[in-house]
Amino acid sequence: MEAYEYTEVELPFIDQLVSYGYEYLEGKKLDFERKGRGSIVLEGRLAESIRRLNDWISDSNVEKAVKQLVTIQSVDLWDANNKMFEWLFGQGISVLQDLGGGKKNQTVRLFDFDKVDRNEFLVVNQISYTNANGTIRPDIVIYINGLPLVLVECKSPKLKWDKQLPEGVRQFDRYQETNERIFWYNQMLIVTSRDRARVGTILARPQHYGLWKDPYPFTIEDVGINRSQDIMVAGMLRKEAILDLMRNFIVFDGKVKKLARYQQYRAVNKGIHRIMTEKKPSLRGGVVWHTQGSGKSLTMVYMAMKLRRVASLENPMLVIVTDRQDLDDQITKTFQNCGFPDPTQATSVADLKGQLGKGPGTTVMTLIQKFQGSEDKEGNQIFPIISEEENIIVMTDESHRSQYKGLAMNMRKALPNATFIGFTGTPIDKEKRSTTGKFGSYIDKYTIEQAVEDGATVPIYYESRLPKVHMKGDSLDELFDRAFFDYDEDTREKIKQKHVNEALILTAPERMDEIALDIARHFESHILVNGYKAQVVAVSRAAAVKYKKLIDQYAKGQFETAVIFSAGQNDEKELREHHINKDEEKELIRRFKKPFSEDKLAMLIVCDKLLTGFDAPVEQVMYLDKPLREHNLLQAIARTNRRYDKNKTYGLIVDYFGVSRFLDQALEIFSASDVKGALQSIDEEIPRLEQRHRSAVRFFDGLNKSQREESILRLADEDVRADFELAYKRFAESMDKVMPSPKAEPFVGDIKHLGLIRQLAKSRFSIDDGLDISDCGEKVRHLVYKHLQSNGIQVRDPISILDASFKEEVEDNVLPETRAAQIEHAIKREISIRMEEDEVFYTSLKQKVEDLLERFKERQLDIYELLDKLYSTREEMLSKVKGKTKSGLKSEEEPYFNKLLEVFEGQKKVEELKQMAVEVHQFIEDRVASIPDWTAKTDFKRKLNADLKIILLKKRMPMSDAAMLVGYFTALAEVQYR
């Protein structure tokens, strides 16, 4: 690790944890208490913690508990991590012991969640874990009670952020490939460069790592910090916070391990704090407004999980209320997938009353419609009091819609002392404030703008594509008055009310045909090429069916469509043909959510269904041809804002009706600060495209497109190449948003040319293998790929510096600067591959190359002198690889000598060091050469290390040097005798 990375990132991380009461230890100091470098768990500390937290437990049962936690039978890493989580933070582990009434299973306490200082918190850096596959050395490991629960990768702030996070995640992947066992216990993976920090869970990709921007319950001012790493450590890793997060804010949802985002953690703890501190039930509730797509359903799961564990609430009854069957099904499924115990859906009014009467520990999922009461003689709703208990928590989803009506009143009659918490994804009407009036004040807010800024959701762009036959409301009135001018005013009004409305204009055949063709063309060229999917919103069920027929006609089998609407008993034949049952609807939705590469169902056509509470991240565009207003409009457009993959950088609303005027009205009704950032016009991307275009082409100022070699050479320096890479990706991202609009045309030539230079530089300087334009959007990728082909470019794998034809290929380059750059990168690449074989030699060689480049920059060498010296360096490496040595020793002995010479030069004679190297190598070879899998044998390695240390100490060297050399020589032996 470079010094800057240690002093600016790793050390402040450790120091902050120490200030929170953690104990700091260097990894090598733990080697004396570990069974060997293969040990992941600090077994002695784990055993001591179990004794401390379970004063009843026998020594033999301590041993059994430890053994269970260090030996796990599982089919794969996912299964092992899931099982370990259940043992640590879920159902726990138990042992058979007699506490005075015969032998019974007793639950073993592994953590004290109430008195956190009774647990042992260690922060450890540069600890090594070794097995048959090799050695890994994470930057920081957090141990709690001897268990390695958090891994941290520190990245230099000098490295570009778009490199830091992916490289950190790749590092975790490499650790996993080498030593999977440490990930059995892992609950958090952190990548940080101090100014930027993100956290994820096992198997997560970089785009799923999240920020932590709030040190709740403290403020940034309270803790006196404002750097991302410091805020994350304060918010997540304080003793009480880290245990709370691991116990209450992690779920296994399907095949994804999910850790709460900061706004979810904050909202749940704020809500529970209010419940615990307010004396009156009516004051305990409130509203959680978290914008669409930011994980509202999961927030409800986390809150439910933690409420169950609040001892003073005495295992409360939880009631989860929605107002639509699909939402009820969805949230029930979320609770089930996350492993929440026994959520029960009420099937009828009678069943709901029965469920609510069951008392503590019950979790009831219900539609608010099931609070339907009977009517008395005056027509008033009667609903009985079912429970007057105070430990009942009612959570309502999308609380602004139906919670103010008579059904909500029945709910409150039935549960008069319950706490009511409203969850909503859209802001509250600033004129009526009806939601806060019913539920109480805000508990927590998380706005659209915050979600986009955090990357929790993608921004939504708006594009108006009004057809020629579109009629605004006032135009419709004028048209009607002209057509029926000879009728009196009363008669005209009756005709208008009965026969003429927006739906009539919207379903005009010419208009629908024009729109269907436009949808098919737009979808194929803008959306489908990137693998994303769409919804079409029609004004009526009949219009939805008509759109399906027309779009299918124009799609020509390129993709499938489906229409989903609520069936009516008296529907005509054309509608009846599209009636589907509940299971069939679920199957269509399941297919739609799959990637297009797996299922060609790419477009759902609806009129009322699936406009709220429908979560399909693969959907990027909504084609609107319906007059949606207020909440319904804000809810609908949010269907497109879910994150999906790294290439989905925005959602899109294509407006055929003209909802922009309703959007303006909606934004006026709701607080401006709440909805800021809801929509951006696609035209707003043009200035950004122009700016990003300039940022990318500036790297080649003064060169024309025919000067290819000179252009490639501009990217020879690694830092310049990293800057260009970021600029190019941003340019490509903006191009992908705007294409194939004619407004993108002026930039097409440059995106092709820059893509060509980028790819040739990647190949030339051995950055990557083969053709790589995978991180561009499909439209840009298609352009660049065709341009590469049309130029006859064959991108080859980087050629090894050891290859016989290496010099010949390098000499093909016209410019000597290009030849020098290619040699430099090839040497560095080979050094990185071979570093473990002789760290001293290859580090020295790397420094020699750096010195040559520095001398060239300072004009102490000309380009031809630099080329000669780089070729000489290559020859030195070739000799080394072929087994020739400077010392005269055998090639396998020389790495031992080089290290000894580095440590004792000037203190011991060279011949003495040579003899020592031969002796040490011979000792190791005699011990390990004939023993298969010796690196996995803990006892054998411990004995080998001890005997080797004795040999070195007999050579009259300090204990510290001997201990260091034992570790170095053992690691070297693992490379030589794999």
Side-chain angles (χ1 to χ4, degrees), residues 1 144 157 393 615 654 683 698 737 786 819 974 978:
M1 175 185 291
I144 304 178
I393 316 293
D615 190 2
V654 177
D683 287 342
R698 70 176 173 80
K737 288 177 184 176
K786 284 192 73 173
R819 297 202 292 272
E974 289 178 8
R978 278 175 178 154

Side-chain angles (χ1 to χ4, degrees), residues 44-63:
R45 293 174 185 263
L46 174 60
E48 181 53 40
S49 294
I50 291 173
R51 288 190 187 92
R52 184 172 64 252
L53 301 179
N54 304 271
D55 54 11
W56 50 268
I57 198 167
S58 66
D59 287 344
S60 62
N61 274 334
V62 170
E63 197 174 314

Side-chain angles (χ1 to χ4, degrees), residues 414-436:
L415 308 168
N417 294 318
T419 297
F420 292 88
I421 299 176
F423 286 79
T424 182
T426 50
I428 289 167
D429 187 325
K430 69 180 181 183
E431 294 171 1
K432 298 176 185 175
R433 293 290 175 191
S434 44
T435 305
T436 49

